[in-house]
Amino acid sequence: FSLLLILSIAEAGLIFAGRQFRPLKRKCFEKANIWQYTALCLIERSLPYFGALAFLYFFPVQVDYRLTSIFLFFPLFIRLLSIWLIFLWGITVIRVFAKISQETVKPELISHLKKLIIGILVFGMIYAVLGWIISYDNIILILIRLGFEAAFFAWAVILIRMIRSGQMSAPARAHL
């Protein structure tokens, strides 16, 4: 119980610290400092997850037979939380890109990028769980990874065709 209390206090502090970036974010958005605004958005959304990852990663595992089964899940929780954090970063960058470019980018491109991020999330979660269960050197996981890489290559070809076909304006292309 005390461990959850410590984690809760740390998370509340990190959420509070993340909210301190909001005035600075507004200034960056008004001055059109796109990359600073994006970085501040990412930091604000990431701080609670960084806290949880640090807690799980650096938590001193002592021999306590009542909690041993929970400690066995820590590596899996760390991987899943890391994948979720990458998903949040992708969604945040897509939202910032859509907010900045507004009318200059067609919705097909934004939905195409969202599909990529969701695909990475689903693949990453499945891969992490299967890798934790059956080992990362398993031939099944290698085949799954090769399938994902082929799908990612096909996605990249479609994206290049979208960009070359003129579905994006020149200012929107400059942000990519």
Side-chain angles (χ1 to χ4, degrees), residues 116 119-121 123-124 143-154:
L116 169 72
I120 289 173
L121 174 72
F123 169 76
L143 291 174
I144 291 171
R145 189 170 56 226
L146 286 173
F148 174 75
E149 290 169 3
F152 181 72
F153 180 76

Side-chain angles (χ1 to χ4, degrees), residues 8 22 30-31 42 44 48 50 57 64 71 121 137 142 150-151:
S8 300
R22 287 184 180 168
E30 291 167 0
K31 291 181 182 179
L42 291 175
E44 180 186 4
F50 281 141
Y57 190 76
D64 186 0
F71 292 138
L121 174 72
D137 295 333
I142 292 171

Side-chain angles (χ1 to χ4, degrees), residues 40-171:
L40 290 172
C41 286
L42 291 175
I43 290 170
E44 180 186 4
R45 298 229 23 215
S46 302
L47 278 178
Y49 297 101
F50 281 141
L53 281 170
F55 180 80
L56 290 173
Y57 190 76
F58 295 114
F59 180 74
V61 178
Q62 297 175 357
V63 178
D64 186 0
Y65 295 108
R66 293 174 296 164
L67 298 176
T68 303
S69 59
I70 293 173
F71 292 138
L72 292 175
F73 287 104
F74 275 19
L76 178 63
F77 291 151
I78 290 170
R79 283 189 189 263
L80 294 178
L81 208 53
S82 299
I83 293 166
W84 183 254
L85 186 61
I86 291 169
F87 169 74
L88 284 180
W89 287 346
I91 291 296
T92 301
V93 169
I94 290 170
R95 285 182 183 160
V96 168
F97 180 68
K99 186 176 184 180
I100 290 168
S101 59
Q102 294 171 357
E103 299 294 324
T104 59
V105 176
K106 293 196 175 185
E108 293 87 23
L109 178 66
I110 299 297
S111 69
H112 192 66
L113 292 171
K114 285 183 180 178
K115 287 176 188 175
L116 169 72
I117 298 299
I118 291 170
I120 289 173
L121 174 72
V122 170
F123 169 76
M125 295 287 187
I126 291 170
Y127 188 81
V129 171
L130 286 176
W132 185 76
I133 292 173
I134 61 175
S135 169
Y136 287 100
D137 295 333
N138 192 313
I139 191 70
I140 295 171
L141 283 180
I142 292 171
L143 291 174
I144 291 171
R145 189 170 56 226
L146 286 173
F148 174 75
E149 290 169 3
F152 181 72
F153 180 76
W155 177 90
V157 168
I158 292 169
L159 178 67
I160 290 170
R161 286 185 182 165
M162 281 181 156
I163 292 172
R164 287 188 179 170
S165 71
Q167 288 190 6
M168 294 179 62
S169 66

Side-chain angles (χ1 to χ4, degrees), residues 29-42:
F29 186 73
E30 291 167 0
K31 291 181 182 179
N33 292 334
I34 296 165
W35 296 112
Q36 290 176 353
Y37 177 76
T38 305
L40 290 172
C41 286
L42 291 175

